[in-house]
């Protein structure tokens, strides 16, 4: 009887500890999310990641570990990607009911990557033998497998690298490593210096040494120099069209007229914010930029019917070339495009967006789904937009540019796939879809990372913000704040020499993680044979 009672008590204690571990994992994941923009509270990193390391060491089965990883991922993505509900509020009467489901399913799906990493780390590192050795081996496996799962998240099923761990570091000295190891390399380094904190109680010196060493090395690095500047002046336009009004027949041309007015005006100081104020016509033509950049889909008609509009724009800006976003139709398909309007008012170069947003710009089996009333938010027909052929360079008169439309700047691999090294990156985007909380800020961070990884300046024009000239070190030089109507004239920085990351991409990081994982498994097997 006593043994039965003792067994029931032990099982009850285990259930309680499992519940505590699960809730802790979810809370630590949520805590980790505050390291993302716009908060960037980096103190959460050692607390959250060290705590998750403790839970991984506590897990006694792959199933327990998978549950911990999934709950941690659900907390992290659920809070870190909460902006995903914003697109559903644009047409709230039709779509608002879908918002919680979108957030829950997105967070739950992305968390599966973490579940696999945690589960395999415990599966391949059962505890036994000398405790310190087994704990160290499990943490190495967790580092390798968690990192590989994060890389997999960036590539598989069209990829979704948003909220990667490398994004924590954009405004710190660690960002200087981006040209060498990229965002995924920074993510591995993040785990490498924080997971050992799980050993703090038993091996404090070993636990804190990686974090202290990297912190001291980072802050000992000199600041990157000021980039050399070209003689080219670029005008970036932010018309600030709310998404709910952007396509209204009675409002859409107001935003075009606003963009034309800002594009045509000479701003004496090179920068102005409208916000209800009229432009000073007396300063017209004081400044003549070499290029004007408008945001994504800034002209509310198909390119097929826009000859008169483009001609009028060119005339108003006195023949300065304009890069702008517009939709077009070709052979029954619709494309989200960037076009260069020449000094003669013609679209002489066209880039079609290649990496489309699933369920935003297209819906899998879209024609079938359309019969049930399911469309992408930006769909023009049942299947939405079609994808362009891929990365293409545009000659903009101030150099060769790689155009990126909105979401494409999230993917380091797409930027690395360019057919030749450009002189600059250009992102046109409509971040009105992302609301005004965290989404636009996180999107800007990723644009800055692409510039730093490649050693290239980026021209970024966003409909509602944040518009920016980004230097080749990923630093903001000129900006227009979120939610402001304005224009900025910025001098284009010179590109740097080709970076290591631009040549290698994520392959070295993948090989490193695989090597760490294999080494840990091999060492475990050798220890098992000796015992």
């Amino acid at each position: 009887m006593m043994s039965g009672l003792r067994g029931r008590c032990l099982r009850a204690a285990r259930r309680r500890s499992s519940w505590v571990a699960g809730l802790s994992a979810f809370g630590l994941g949520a805590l980790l999310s505050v390291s993302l923009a716009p908060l960037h509270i980096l103190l959460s990193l050692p607390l959250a990641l060290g705590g998750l390391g403790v839970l991984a060491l506590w897990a006694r089965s792959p199933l327990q570990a998978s549950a911990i990883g999934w709950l941690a991922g659900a907390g992290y993505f659920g809070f870190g990607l909460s902006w995903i509900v914003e697109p559903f509020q644009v047409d709230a009467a039709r779509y608002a009911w879908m918002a919680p489901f979108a957030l829950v399913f997105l967070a739950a799906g992305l968390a599966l990557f973490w579940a696999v990493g945690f589960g395999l780390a415990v599966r391949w590192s059962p505890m036994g033998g000398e405790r310190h050795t087994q704990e160290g081996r499990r943490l190495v496996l967790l580092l390798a497998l968690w990192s590989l799962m994060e890389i997999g998240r960036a590539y598989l099923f069209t990829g979704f690298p948003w909220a990667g761990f490398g994004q924590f570091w954009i405004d710190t000295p660690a960002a200087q490593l981006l040209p060498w190891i990229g965002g995924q390399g920074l993510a591995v380094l993040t785990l490498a210096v924080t997971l050992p904190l799980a050993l703090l109680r038993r091996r404090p010196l070993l636990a804190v040494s990686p974090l202290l060493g990297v912190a001291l090395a980072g802050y000992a690095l000199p600041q990157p120099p000021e980039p050399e500047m070209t003689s080219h002046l670029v005008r970036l336009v932010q018309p600030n069209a709310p998404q709910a009004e952007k396509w209204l027949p009675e409002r859409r041309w107001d935003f075009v007229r606003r963009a034309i007015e800002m594009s045509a005006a000479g701003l004496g100081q090179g920068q102005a914010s409208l916000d209800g104020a009229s432009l000073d016509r007396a300063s017209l033509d004081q400044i003549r930029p070499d290029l004007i950049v408008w945001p994504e889909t800034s002209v509310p008609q198909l390119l097929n019917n826009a000859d008169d509009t483009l001609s009028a724009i060119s005339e108003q800006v006195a023949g300065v070339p304009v890069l702008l976003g517009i939709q077009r139709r070709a052979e029954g398909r619709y494309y989200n495009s960037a076009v260069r309007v020449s000094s003669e008012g013609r679209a002489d170069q066209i880039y079609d967006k290649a990496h489309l947003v699933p369920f935003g710009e297209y819906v899998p089996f879209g024609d079938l789904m359309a019969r049930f009333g399911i469309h992408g938010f930006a769909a023009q027909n049942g299947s939405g937009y079609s994808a362009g052929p891929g990365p293409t360079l545009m000659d903009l008169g101030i150099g060769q540019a790689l155009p990126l439309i909105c979401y494409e700047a999230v993917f380091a691999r797409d930027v690395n796939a360019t057919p030749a090294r450009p002189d600059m990156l250009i992102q046109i985007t409509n971040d009105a879809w992302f609301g005004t909380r965290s989404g636009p800020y996180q999107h800007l961070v990723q644009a800055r990372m692409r510039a730093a990884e490649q050693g290239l300046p980026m021209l970024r024009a966003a409909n509602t913000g944040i518009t920016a000239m980004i230097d080749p070190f990923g630093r903001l030089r000129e900006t227009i704040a979120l939610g402001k109507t304005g224009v900025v004239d910025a001098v284009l920085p010179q590109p740097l020499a080709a970076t290591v990351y631009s040549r290698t991409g994520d392959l070295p990081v993948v090989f490193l993680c695989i090597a760490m994982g294999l080494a840990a498994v091999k060492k475990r097997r050798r220890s098992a044979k000796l015992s």
Side-chain angles (χ1 to χ4, degrees):
M1 181 181 296
M2 291 299 295
S3 61
L5 179 61
R6 187 182 302 112
R8 286 195 296 273
C9 290
L10 286 173
R11 286 192 293 272
R14 290 193 186 102
R15 284 195 295 271
R16 283 195 298 272
S17 63
S18 296
W19 275 103
V20 170
L23 291 173
S24 298
F26 184 86
L28 290 170
L31 176 63
L32 181 62
S33 71
V34 304
S35 294
L36 292 165
L39 297 178
H40 281 309
I41 302 176
L42 298 184
L43 181 61
S44 71
L45 291 177
L47 298 175
L49 294 174
L52 290 174
V54 170
L55 293 177
L57 295 179
W58 170 85
R60 288 297 177 264
S61 71
L63 183 60
Q64 275 186 334
S66 294
I68 288 169
W70 186 85
L71 286 166
Y76 177 67
F77 294 117
F79 283 88
L81 301 179
S82 59
W83 57 264
I84 202 68
V85 304
E86 297 288 350
F88 298 90
Q89 310 308 317
V90 173
D91 187 355
R94 295 175 61 190
Y95 295 115
W97 66 272
M98 302 170 71
F101 296 99
L103 178 58
V104 168
F105 284 122
L106 178 64
L110 295 176
L112 291 174
F113 286 94
W114 290 23
V116 172
F118 275 68
L120 289 178
V122 171
R123 170 68 179 81
W124 292 338
S125 63
M127 290 297 190
E130 188 177 346
R131 183 173 184 176
H132 294 335
T133 302
Q134 297 296 340
E135 288 179 337
R137 187 174 299 127
R138 177 170 290 187
L139 289 177
V140 171
L141 269 171
L142 181 60
L143 164 62
L145 292 167
W146 196 354
S147 298
L148 286 172
M149 289 302 102
E150 277 291 280
I151 294 171
R153 178 167 73 86
Y155 283 83
L156 299 177
F157 313 116
T158 79
F160 191 71
W162 203 296
F165 295 169
Q167 295 164 33
F168 302 153
W169 305 104
I170 190 63
D171 287 315
T172 73
Q176 296 183 54
L177 297 177
L178 286 169
W180 300 88
I181 60 177
Q184 297 294 348
L186 269 185
V188 173
L189 186 60
T190 302
L191 292 175
V193 301
T194 54
L195 286 179
L197 294 171
L199 306 173
L200 190 60
R201 289 183 60 186
R202 289 183 293 277
R203 307 183 71 180
L205 183 60
L206 176 64
V208 300
S209 292
L211 182 59
L212 290 178
V214 170
L216 291 173
Y219 283 98
L221 290 173
Q223 287 292 319
E226 283 294 307
E228 296 183 14
M229 308 302 289
T230 69
S231 59
H232 300 302
L233 188 69
V234 179
R235 176 162 294 179
L236 305 174
V237 178
Q238 184 168 300
N240 196 30
Q243 192 59 39
E245 302 177 20
K246 181 177 170 63
W247 297 101
L248 293 177
E250 66 273 22
R251 290 285 286 140
R252 58 186 182 179
W253 290 106
D254 293 341
F255 301 120
V256 176
R257 284 188 285 269
R258 179 187 293 178
I260 290 174
E261 183 181 11
M262 291 189 292
S263 299
L267 306 178
Q269 300 301 318
Q271 182 170 346
S273 177
L274 292 182
D275 293 334
S278 60
L279 290 169
D280 180 7
R281 289 288 183 179
S283 64
L284 189 63
D285 293 332
Q286 288 184 5
I287 296 175
R288 182 179 176 84
D290 298 293
L291 177 70
I292 299 170
V293 184
W294 289 14
E296 178 187 16
T297 58
S298 47
V299 175
Q301 64 184 144
L302 292 176
L303 178 62
N304 311 64
N305 309 319
D307 289 349
D308 291 343
T309 302
L310 301 186
S311 179
I313 292 171
S314 182
E315 180 181 351
Q316 290 295 314
V317 301
V320 175
V322 180
L323 182 77
L324 54 79
I326 193 170
Q327 300 167 93
R328 74 184 191 95
R329 184 182 63 242
E331 299 179 353
R333 296 177 179 270
Y334 290 83
Y335 298 90
N336 185 1
S337 305
V339 304
R340 179 187 182 270
V341 182
S342 69
S343 57
E344 292 79 27
R346 296 194 301 269
D348 60 357
Q349 295 181 64
I350 300 174
Y351 167 74
D352 296 320
K353 185 176 182 181
H355 204 137
L356 303 176
V357 182
F359 299 99
E361 292 175 309
Y362 77 99
V363 176
F365 310 106
D367 292 325
L368 174 62
M369 294 296 184
R371 297 180 183 179
F372 299 95
I374 300 175
H375 301 268
F377 288 116
Q380 294 298 304
N381 58 10
S383 58
Y385 289 120
S386 294
T392 304
L393 297 186
M394 300 178 76
D395 185 354
L396 300 180
I398 59 174
Q400 297 286 320
L402 176 66
L404 302 165
I405 300 179
C406 190
Y407 184 64
E408 291 181 313
V410 170
F411 297 92
R413 74 183 200 237
D414 291 348
V415 179
N416 263 3
T418 181
R421 182 166 173 79
D423 300 304
M424 72 200 79
L425 307 174
I426 292 186
Q427 183 193 18
I428 61 172
T429 183
N430 178 22
D431 285 7
W433 284 111
F434 302 151
T436 58
R437 295 184 297 170
S438 58
Y441 296 98
Q442 293 175 11
H443 201 199
L444 175 65
V445 166
Q446 293 170 91
R448 295 173 62 186
M449 291 175 69
R450 302 295 86 80
E453 288 164 353
Q454 300 295 320
L456 296 173
M458 176 181 282
L459 290 62
R460 187 176 198 264
N463 170 29
T464 54
I466 301 165
T467 293
M469 173 66 79
I470 304 171
D471 77 11
F473 298 105
R475 298 175 301 200
L476 299 173
R477 297 192 64 84
E478 310 284 352
T479 62
I480 305 174
L482 183 65
K484 300 295 183 181
T485 302
V487 61
V488 63
D489 290 308
V491 178
L492 178 67
Q494 291 274 11
L496 305 178
T499 65
V500 171
Y501 184 78
S502 69
R503 296 189 179 101
T504 64
D506 293 319
L507 280 177
V509 176
V510 172
F511 290 145
L512 173 64
C513 292
I514 292 174
M516 284 192 299
L518 290 176
V521 171
K522 184 177 180 181
K523 189 173 181 180
R524 178 184 71 82
R525 289 176 177 172
R526 185 183 300 119
S527 299
K529 288 180 180 179
L530 292 176
S531 61

